[in-house]
Amino acid sequence: DIQMTQSPSSLSASVGDRITITCQASHDIINYLNWYQQKPGRAPKLLIYDTSILDAGVPSRFIGSGSGTLFTLTISSLQPEDFATYYCQQYRSFRSFGGGTRVAVK
Amino acid sequence: QLHLQESGPGLAKPSETLSLNCSVSGASIVSPSYYWGWVRQSPEKGLEWIGNIYFSGVTDYSPSLKSRVTMSLDASRNMFFLTLTSVTAADTAVYFCARVRHAVAFDFWGQGIHVTVSS
């Protein structure tokens, strides 16, 4: 099994801040990584696939990068609608998700 | 507009078999570009992938659930299904069905159905 570890598990930030979330894989997953955003009571929403490609309609302030075992999701200027929980997901071997990072209002 | 809708019992007893349905509208499940999948979410385990199915019937299951999971589909009704046997309290979760782009990215999700396993 490939374990995905996200950090931090939560963070507090203000509108306009630049934030970065890290996702570490227990094994080399090349660039087989996706990112999702989930708001309370809703299903996850695909943001980024293949490490860095924005899904349709996703704003360019979301930036994905990384390779191998270490990946990041950066929001360059946090907007009010971005307060949510973010998850990474690998597809190198079967599928597995990280534990999530909650982005809260400071 | 693509829409996925889960249905099934919200309560199951320990050792029973859980059966969930996913009805798809706005697109055909007979599509060469997409698989169809199930993911569940609980406070204890977070998001957990259960498995994917292709319109041809090819399936791919999580190793940790493989012995208890069966996925199937009915193209005539544009639906796919999940069966989970011998459920325990650990199977209590919100179950989501989703479209899976190229078998790797969950790009459209249902709203989820909460299932509680309790006697």
Side-chain angles (χ1 to χ4, degrees), chain A residues 25-66:
Chain A
S26 61
H27 298 77
D28 184 351
I29 60 168
I30 310 176
N31 71 329
Y32 298 160
L33 185 98
N34 304 322
W35 288 97
Y36 298 83
Q37 175 193 68
Q38 186 179 32
K39 296 183 178 179
R42 305 289 296 273
K45 171 189 172 184
L46 178 65
L47 289 179
I48 290 172
Y49 61 95
D50 293 350
T51 295
S52 61
I53 304 174
L54 297 181
D55 200 30
V58 175
S60 58
R61 63 180 179 272
F62 291 91
I63 304 162
S65 65

Side-chain angles (χ1 to χ4, degrees), chain A residues 1 34 36 38 41-46 49-50 55 87 89 91 94-98, chain B residues 39 41 47-49 52 60-64 96 101 103-107 109-111:
Chain A
D1 284 17
N34 304 322
Y36 298 83
Q38 186 179 32
R42 305 289 296 273
K45 171 189 172 184
L46 178 65
Y49 61 95
D50 293 350
D55 200 30
Y87 296 91
Q89 174 241 323
Y91 53 92
F94 300 103
R95 316 286 177 265
S96 54
F97 292 85
Chain B
V39 175
Q41 185 172 32
L47 287 166
E48 183 180 16
W49 174 66
N52 295 342
D60 189 14
Y61 298 144
S62 166
S64 64
F96 295 100
R101 187 187 307 158
V104 301
F106 301 88
D107 66 351
W109 298 63
Q111 67 184 22

Side-chain angles (χ1 to χ4, degrees), chain B residues 52-64:
Chain B
N52 295 342
I53 186 167
Y54 196 51
F55 75 88
S56 63
V58 168
T59 55
D60 189 14
Y61 298 144
S62 166
S64 64

Side-chain angles (χ1 to χ4, degrees), chain B residues 103-119:
Chain B
V104 301
F106 301 88
D107 66 351
F108 273 98
W109 298 63
Q111 67 184 22
I113 182 170
H114 192 277
V115 176
T116 299
V117 179
S118 174
S119 56

